[in-house]
Amino acid sequence: MESARSTSPRATGVPTIFIVDDDESLRRSLARLVRAVGLNAESFESARAFIEREPFTGAGCILLDVQMPGVSGPELHAELLERHVALPVVFLTAHGDLPTGIAAMKKGAVDFLQKPVDDELLLQTLRQAVQRHTAQQMAGEQLQGVETRLASLSRREREVLKQIIDGRLNKQIAADMGISIKTVKAHRARVMEKTAARSLAELVHLCELASHATGPCLFEIHPEHPCAQRDCLNSGGRCSFAPSVSD
């Protein structure tokens, strides 16, 4: 399941509900319910069986029991989070308690439902989970596009980009970098072209998007260590490696 992440390409088609429960009769019943409303269903008798499934890149969610032989539902949820698997989780259990439910929700579960559950409530919750996953995938695709455009900038263009999003004027950038205003304008034009930004506001927005995700250092000081919070991509943001600018 390593590839089922928010960075995976979004596949088109019918969403899939992964039913993980050790009760065979319940698995069959839930699969029938899910398929009756036009969704795909895949059933697994254990958490380990689900983990061993081939990689999934489509849209969907996991309908997960809590108490199962071997790896429990919460343990599977924790493992998926560790692996950065983006499939949302809906818990469905007959053995739920308040602390377990609270812990599951804090870790990002969509809901924590009790058996027996009303069919309409369950389907509504599953649709909500699928919508969340689809939105995550779309955001991932958008971010990947921004990352690709930023990666196309030269080191010098990135330095100019940093000063642009900090609101520096061309003459200030020229003085800070020891280059001519004409050269600054040329770098600035290439930044706008390579990022496909139609305005300064759009350029700032693209940088804000990229700043919310872990990625390579903008200035390539430590390319082997991804930056966890790229403050340098925010206006006024600083890191210890970003070129300093004069006040």
Side-chain angles (χ1 to χ4, degrees):
M1 293 297 295
E2 287 283 358
S3 67
R5 305 180 181 193
S6 58
T7 53
S8 299
R10 179 165 53 94
T12 58
V14 178
T16 299
I17 310 301
F18 297 96
I19 302 164
V20 185
D21 198 300
D22 62 328
D23 186 328
E24 183 178 357
S25 63
L26 181 60
R27 289 198 307 272
R28 287 200 301 266
S29 174
L30 290 171
R32 282 196 300 269
L33 175 65
V34 166
R35 290 174 183 138
V37 295
L39 299 172
N40 288 332
E42 290 189 26
S43 300
F44 302 85
E45 64 180 359
S46 68
R48 192 55 53 194
F50 173 74
I51 291 171
E52 292 172 355
R53 184 201 183 278
E54 64 182 14
F56 176 73
T57 57
C61 71
I62 305 169
L63 184 56
L64 183 58
D65 190 15
V66 170
Q67 292 189 9
M68 295 182 290
V71 179
S72 71
E75 288 171 340
L76 172 61
H77 190 199
E79 183 170 342
L80 294 176
L81 291 175
E82 247 181 57
R83 296 185 181 201
H84 304 287
V85 173
L87 280 167
V89 170
V90 175
F91 280 99
L92 178 62
T93 180
H95 306 286
D97 56 69
L98 187 58
T100 303
I102 291 174
M105 299 299 286
K106 283 184 175 180
K107 289 183 178 180
V110 177
D111 212 332
F112 194 86
L113 304 176
Q114 294 284 330
K115 300 174 183 175
V117 64
D118 176 74
D119 288 353
E120 285 305 315
L121 173 60
L122 176 59
L123 291 172
Q124 179 183 347
T125 305
L126 294 177
R127 290 188 185 102
Q128 178 186 346
V130 169
Q131 288 171 358
R132 177 190 291 189
H133 191 215
T134 301
Q136 288 174 339
Q137 290 179 314
M138 292 177 68
E141 288 175 359
Q142 184 181 24
L143 177 59
Q144 188 174 25
V146 173
E147 294 277 8
T148 300
R149 282 178 268 172
L150 288 176
S152 71
L153 299 177
S154 69
R155 171 69 182 272
R156 202 62 161 167
E157 288 163 355
R158 295 177 195 185
E159 291 176 358
V160 171
L161 168 65
K162 174 56 188 164
Q163 300 224 38
I164 291 173
I165 61 179
D166 279 348
R168 307 286 287 177
L169 301 175
N170 287 343
K171 63 180 181 180
Q172 293 173 313
I173 298 174
D176 292 337
M177 298 179 64
I179 56 179
S180 69
I181 293 179
K182 182 178 180 180
T183 301
V184 172
K185 289 181 178 179
H187 284 314
R188 188 171 188 141
R190 284 195 291 271
V191 167
M192 299 298 286
E193 179 184 356
K194 288 183 178 181
T195 59
R198 292 165 294 186
S199 66
L200 176 58
E202 185 174 350
L203 179 64
V204 171
H205 176 64
L206 293 176
C207 291
E208 286 176 347
L209 283 176
S211 73
H212 294 314
T214 297
C217 171
L218 181 65
F219 302 101
E220 301 175 337
I221 303 298
H222 290 292
E224 70 279 10
H225 297 301
C227 182
Q229 287 194 335
R230 290 183 288 184
D231 291 334
C232 58
L233 285 172
N234 285 314
S235 177
R238 280 286 151 242
C239 79
S240 57
F241 306 120
S244 60
V245 296
S246 303
D247 293 328

Coordinates of all heavy atoms in Angstrom, one line a residue, residues 72-123:
S72 N -5.0 -4.9 15.1 CA -6.3 -4.3 15.4 C -6.5 -3.1 14.4 O -5.6 -2.7 13.7 CB -6.4 -3.7 16.8 OG -5.6 -2.6 17.0
G73 N -7.8 -2.7 14.3 CA -8.1 -1.5 13.5 C -7.3 -0.3 13.8 O -6.7 0.3 12.9
P74 N -7.2 0.1 15.1 CA -6.4 1.3 15.4 C -4.9 1.1 15.1 O -4.3 2.1 14.7 CB -6.6 1.5 16.9 CG -8.0 0.9 17.1 CD -8.1 -0.3 16.2
E75 N -4.4 -0.1 15.2 CA -3.0 -0.4 14.9 C -2.8 -0.2 13.4 O -1.8 0.3 12.9 CB -2.6 -1.7 15.4 CG -2.5 -1.8 16.9 CD -2.3 -3.3 17.4 OE1 -2.7 -4.2 16.6 OE2 -1.8 -3.4 18.5
L76 N -3.8 -0.7 12.6 CA -3.7 -0.6 11.1 C -3.7 0.9 10.8 O -2.9 1.3 9.9 CB -4.8 -1.3 10.5 CG -4.9 -1.1 8.9 CD1 -3.7 -1.6 8.2 CD2 -6.2 -1.8 8.4
H77 N -4.6 1.6 11.4 CA -4.7 3.1 11.1 C -3.4 3.8 11.4 O -2.9 4.6 10.6 CB -5.8 3.7 12.0 CG -6.2 5.1 11.6 ND1 -6.9 5.9 12.5 CD2 -6.0 5.8 10.5 CE1 -7.0 7.1 11.9 NE2 -6.5 7.0 10.7
A78 N -2.8 3.4 12.5 CA -1.5 4.1 12.8 C -0.4 3.7 11.8 O 0.4 4.5 11.4 CB -1.1 3.6 14.2
E79 N -0.4 2.4 11.4 CA 0.6 2.0 10.4 C 0.4 2.7 9.1 O 1.4 3.1 8.4 CB 0.5 0.5 10.2 CG 1.6 0.0 9.2 CD 1.6 -1.6 9.2 OE1 1.1 -2.2 10.1 OE2 2.2 -2.1 8.2
L80 N -0.9 2.9 8.7 CA -1.1 3.6 7.4 C -0.7 5.1 7.5 O -0.1 5.6 6.5 CB -2.6 3.5 7.1 CG -3.2 2.1 6.8 CD1 -4.7 2.2 6.6 CD2 -2.5 1.5 5.6
L81 N -0.9 5.7 8.6 CA -0.4 7.1 8.8 C 1.1 7.1 8.7 O 1.7 8.1 8.2 CB -0.9 7.6 10.1 CG -2.4 7.8 10.3 CD1 -2.8 8.3 11.7 CD2 -2.9 8.9 9.3
E82 N 1.8 6.1 9.3 CA 3.2 6.1 9.3 C 3.7 6.0 7.9 O 4.8 6.5 7.5 CB 3.7 4.9 10.1 CG 4.5 5.2 11.3 CD 5.0 4.0 12.1 OE1 5.7 3.2 11.5 OE2 4.6 3.9 13.3
R83 N 3.0 5.2 7.0 CA 3.4 5.0 5.6 C 2.9 6.2 4.7 O 3.1 6.1 3.5 CB 2.8 3.7 5.1 CG 3.3 2.5 5.8 CD 2.8 1.2 5.1 NE 3.2 0.0 5.8 CZ 3.2 -1.2 5.2 NH1 2.8 -1.3 3.9 NH2 3.6 -2.3 5.8
H84 N 2.2 7.1 5.3 CA 1.7 8.3 4.6 C 0.6 7.8 3.5 O 0.5 8.4 2.5 CB 2.8 9.0 3.9 CG 3.9 9.5 4.8 ND1 3.7 10.6 5.7 CD2 5.1 9.1 5.0 CE1 4.8 10.8 6.4 NE2 5.7 9.9 6.0
V85 N -0.1 6.8 3.9 CA -1.2 6.3 3.0 C -2.4 7.3 3.3 O -2.8 7.5 4.4 CB -1.6 4.9 3.3 CG1 -2.9 4.5 2.6 CG2 -0.4 3.9 3.0
A86 N -2.9 7.8 2.2 CA -3.9 8.9 2.3 C -5.3 8.5 2.4 O -6.2 9.3 2.5 CB -3.7 9.9 1.2
L87 N -5.6 7.2 2.2 CA -7.0 6.7 2.2 C -7.6 7.0 3.6 O -7.2 6.6 4.6 CB -7.0 5.2 2.0 CG -6.9 4.7 0.6 CD1 -6.6 3.2 0.6 CD2 -8.1 5.0 -0.2
P88 N -8.8 7.8 3.5 CA -9.5 8.1 4.8 C -10.0 6.8 5.4 O -10.3 5.9 4.7 CB -10.6 9.0 4.3 CG -10.1 9.6 3.0 CD -9.4 8.5 2.4
V89 N -10.2 6.9 6.7 CA -10.7 5.7 7.5 C -12.0 6.0 8.2 O -12.1 7.1 8.8 CB -9.6 5.3 8.5 CG1 -10.2 4.2 9.5 CG2 -8.4 4.7 7.8
V90 N -12.9 5.1 8.0 CA -14.2 5.2 8.8 C -14.2 3.9 9.7 O -14.2 2.8 9.1 CB -15.4 5.2 7.8 CG1 -16.7 5.1 8.7 CG2 -15.4 6.4 7.0
F91 N -14.3 4.1 11.0 CA -14.3 3.0 11.9 C -15.8 2.5 12.0 O -16.7 3.4 12.1 CB -13.8 3.3 13.2 CG -12.3 3.3 13.3 CD1 -11.5 4.4 13.2 CD2 -11.6 2.1 13.4 CE1 -10.1 4.4 13.2 CE2 -10.2 2.0 13.5 CZ -9.5 3.2 13.4
L92 N -16.0 1.2 12.1 CA -17.3 0.6 12.3 C -17.1 -0.6 13.2 O -16.5 -1.6 12.9 CB -18.0 0.1 11.0 CG -19.3 -0.5 11.1 CD1 -20.4 0.4 11.7 CD2 -19.8 -1.0 9.7
T93 N -17.6 -0.4 14.5 CA -17.3 -1.5 15.5 C -18.5 -1.7 16.4 O -19.3 -0.8 16.7 CB -16.1 -1.0 16.3 OG1 -15.8 -2.0 17.2 CG2 -16.3 0.3 17.0
A94 N -18.5 -2.9 17.0 CA -19.4 -3.2 18.0 C -18.8 -3.1 19.4 O -19.4 -3.4 20.4 CB -20.0 -4.6 17.8
H95 N -17.5 -2.8 19.4 CA -16.7 -2.8 20.6 C -16.0 -1.5 20.9 O -14.9 -1.4 21.4 CB -15.7 -4.0 20.6 CG -16.2 -5.3 20.3 ND1 -17.0 -6.0 21.3 CD2 -16.2 -6.1 19.2 CE1 -17.3 -7.2 20.7 NE2 -16.9 -7.2 19.5
G96 N -16.7 -0.4 20.5 CA -16.1 0.9 20.6 C -16.3 1.4 22.0 O -17.2 1.1 22.7
D97 N -15.3 2.2 22.4 CA -15.4 3.0 23.7 C -15.0 4.4 23.4 O -14.4 4.7 22.4 CB -14.6 2.3 24.8 CG -13.1 2.2 24.4 OD1 -12.4 3.2 24.3 OD2 -12.7 1.0 24.2
L98 N -15.3 5.3 24.4 CA -15.1 6.7 24.2 C -13.6 7.0 23.9 O -13.2 7.7 23.0 CB -15.6 7.5 25.3 CG -15.6 9.0 25.2 CD1 -16.3 9.5 24.0 CD2 -16.1 9.7 26.5
P99 N -12.7 6.5 24.8 CA -11.2 6.8 24.5 C -10.7 6.4 23.2 O -10.0 7.1 22.5 CB -10.5 6.0 25.7 CG -11.6 5.9 26.7 CD -12.9 5.7 26.0
T100 N -11.2 5.2 22.7 CA -10.7 4.7 21.4 C -11.3 5.6 20.3 O -10.6 5.9 19.3 CB -11.2 3.2 21.2 OG1 -10.7 2.4 22.3 CG2 -10.7 2.7 19.9
G101 N -12.5 6.0 20.4 CA -13.2 6.8 19.4 C -12.5 8.2 19.4 O -12.2 8.7 18.3
I102 N -12.2 8.8 20.5 CA -11.5 10.1 20.5 C -10.1 10.0 19.9 O -9.7 10.8 19.1 CB -11.4 10.6 22.0 CG1 -12.8 10.9 22.5 CG2 -10.5 11.8 22.1 CD1 -12.9 11.3 24.0
A103 N -9.4 8.9 20.3 CA -8.1 8.7 19.7 C -8.1 8.6 18.2 O -7.3 9.1 17.5 CB -7.4 7.5 20.3
A104 N -9.1 7.8 17.7 CA -9.2 7.6 16.3 C -9.5 9.0 15.5 O -8.9 9.2 14.5 CB -10.3 6.6 16.0
M105 N -10.4 9.8 16.1 CA -10.7 11.0 15.5 C -9.6 12.0 15.5 O -9.3 12.8 14.6 CB -12.0 11.6 16.2 CG -13.2 10.8 16.1 SD -13.8 10.5 14.4 CE -14.5 12.1 14.0
K106 N -8.8 12.0 16.6 CA -7.6 12.8 16.7 C -6.6 12.5 15.6 O -5.8 13.3 15.2 CB -7.0 12.8 18.1 CG -7.8 13.5 19.2 CD -7.0 13.5 20.5 CE -7.7 14.4 21.5 NZ -7.0 14.3 22.8
K107 N -6.6 11.2 15.2 CA -5.6 10.8 14.2 C -6.2 10.9 12.8 O -5.5 10.5 11.8 CB -5.2 9.3 14.5 CG -4.3 9.1 15.7 CD -3.9 7.7 15.9 CE -3.0 7.5 17.1 NZ -2.6 6.1 17.2
G108 N -7.3 11.5 12.7 CA -7.8 11.9 11.4 C -8.9 11.0 10.8 O -9.3 11.1 9.6
A109 N -9.5 10.0 11.6 CA -10.6 9.2 11.1 C -11.7 10.1 10.8 O -12.0 11.1 11.4 CB -11.0 8.2 12.2
V110 N -12.5 9.7 9.7 CA -13.6 10.5 9.3 C -14.7 10.4 10.3 O -15.4 11.3 10.6 CB -14.1 10.0 7.9 CG1 -15.4 10.8 7.5 CG2 -13.0 10.2 6.9
D111 N -15.0 9.2 10.8 CA -16.0 9.0 11.8 C -15.7 7.6 12.6 O -14.9 6.8 12.1 CB -17.4 8.9 11.2 CG -18.5 9.5 12.1 OD1 -18.3 9.4 13.3 OD2 -19.5 10.0 11.6
F112 N -16.4 7.5 13.7 CA -16.3 6.3 14.5 C -17.7 5.8 14.8 O -18.4 6.3 15.7 CB -15.6 6.6 15.8 CG -15.1 5.5 16.6 CD1 -13.9 4.9 16.3 CD2 -15.9 4.9 17.6 CE1 -13.4 3.8 17.0 CE2 -15.4 3.8 18.3 CZ -14.2 3.3 18.1
L113 N -18.2 4.9 14.0 CA -19.6 4.4 14.0 C -19.8 3.1 14.8 O -18.9 2.3 14.8 CB -20.1 4.2 12.6 CG -20.0 5.4 11.6 CD1 -20.5 5.1 10.2 CD2 -20.8 6.6 12.2
Q114 N -20.9 3.0 15.4 CA -21.2 1.8 16.2 C -22.1 0.8 15.4 O -23.0 1.2 14.7 CB -22.0 2.2 17.5 CG -21.2 3.0 18.4 CD -20.1 2.2 19.2 OE1 -20.4 1.1 19.5 NE2 -19.0 2.8 19.6
K115 N -21.8 -0.5 15.5 CA -22.7 -1.5 14.9 C -23.8 -1.8 15.9 O -23.6 -1.8 17.1 CB -21.9 -2.8 14.8 CG -20.7 -2.7 13.8 CD -19.9 -4.1 13.8 CE -18.7 -4.0 13.0 NZ -17.9 -5.2 13.1
P116 N -25.0 -2.1 15.4 CA -25.5 -1.9 14.0 C -25.6 -0.5 13.6 O -26.0 0.3 14.5 CB -26.8 -2.7 14.0 CG -27.3 -2.5 15.4 CD -26.2 -2.5 16.3
V117 N -25.4 -0.2 12.4 CA -25.4 1.2 11.9 C -26.5 1.4 10.9 O -26.8 0.4 10.1 CB -24.1 1.6 11.3 CG1 -23.7 0.8 10.1 CG2 -24.0 3.1 11.0
D118 N -27.2 2.5 10.9 CA -28.2 2.8 9.9 C -27.5 2.9 8.5 O -26.5 3.5 8.3 CB -28.8 4.1 10.2 CG -29.9 4.5 9.1 OD1 -30.9 4.0 9.1 OD2 -29.5 5.5 8.3
D119 N -28.1 2.2 7.5 CA -27.5 2.1 6.2 C -27.3 3.5 5.6 O -26.2 3.8 5.0 CB -28.4 1.3 5.2 CG -28.4 -0.1 5.5 OD1 -27.6 -0.6 6.3 OD2 -29.2 -0.9 4.9
E120 N -28.3 4.4 5.7 CA -28.1 5.8 5.1 C -27.0 6.6 5.8 O -26.3 7.3 5.2 CB -29.4 6.5 5.2 CG -30.5 6.1 4.2 CD -30.0 6.1 2.8 OE1 -29.3 7.1 2.4 OE2 -30.2 5.1 2.0
L121 N -26.9 6.4 7.1 CA -25.8 7.1 7.8 C -24.5 6.6 7.4 O -23.5 7.4 7.2 CB -26.0 6.9 9.3 CG -24.8 7.4 10.2 CD1 -24.7 9.0 10.0 CD2 -25.1 7.1 11.7
L122 N -24.4 5.3 7.2 CA -23.1 4.7 6.8 C -22.7 5.2 5.4 O -21.6 5.6 5.2 CB -23.2 3.2 6.8 CG -21.9 2.4 6.3 CD1 -20.7 2.8 7.1 CD2 -22.2 0.9 6.3
L123 N -23.7 5.1 4.5 CA -23.4 5.5 3.1 C -23.0 7.0 3.0 O -22.1 7.4 2.3 CB -24.6 5.2 2.2 CG -24.9 3.7 2.0 CD1 -26.2 3.6 1.2 CD2 -23.7 3.1 1.2

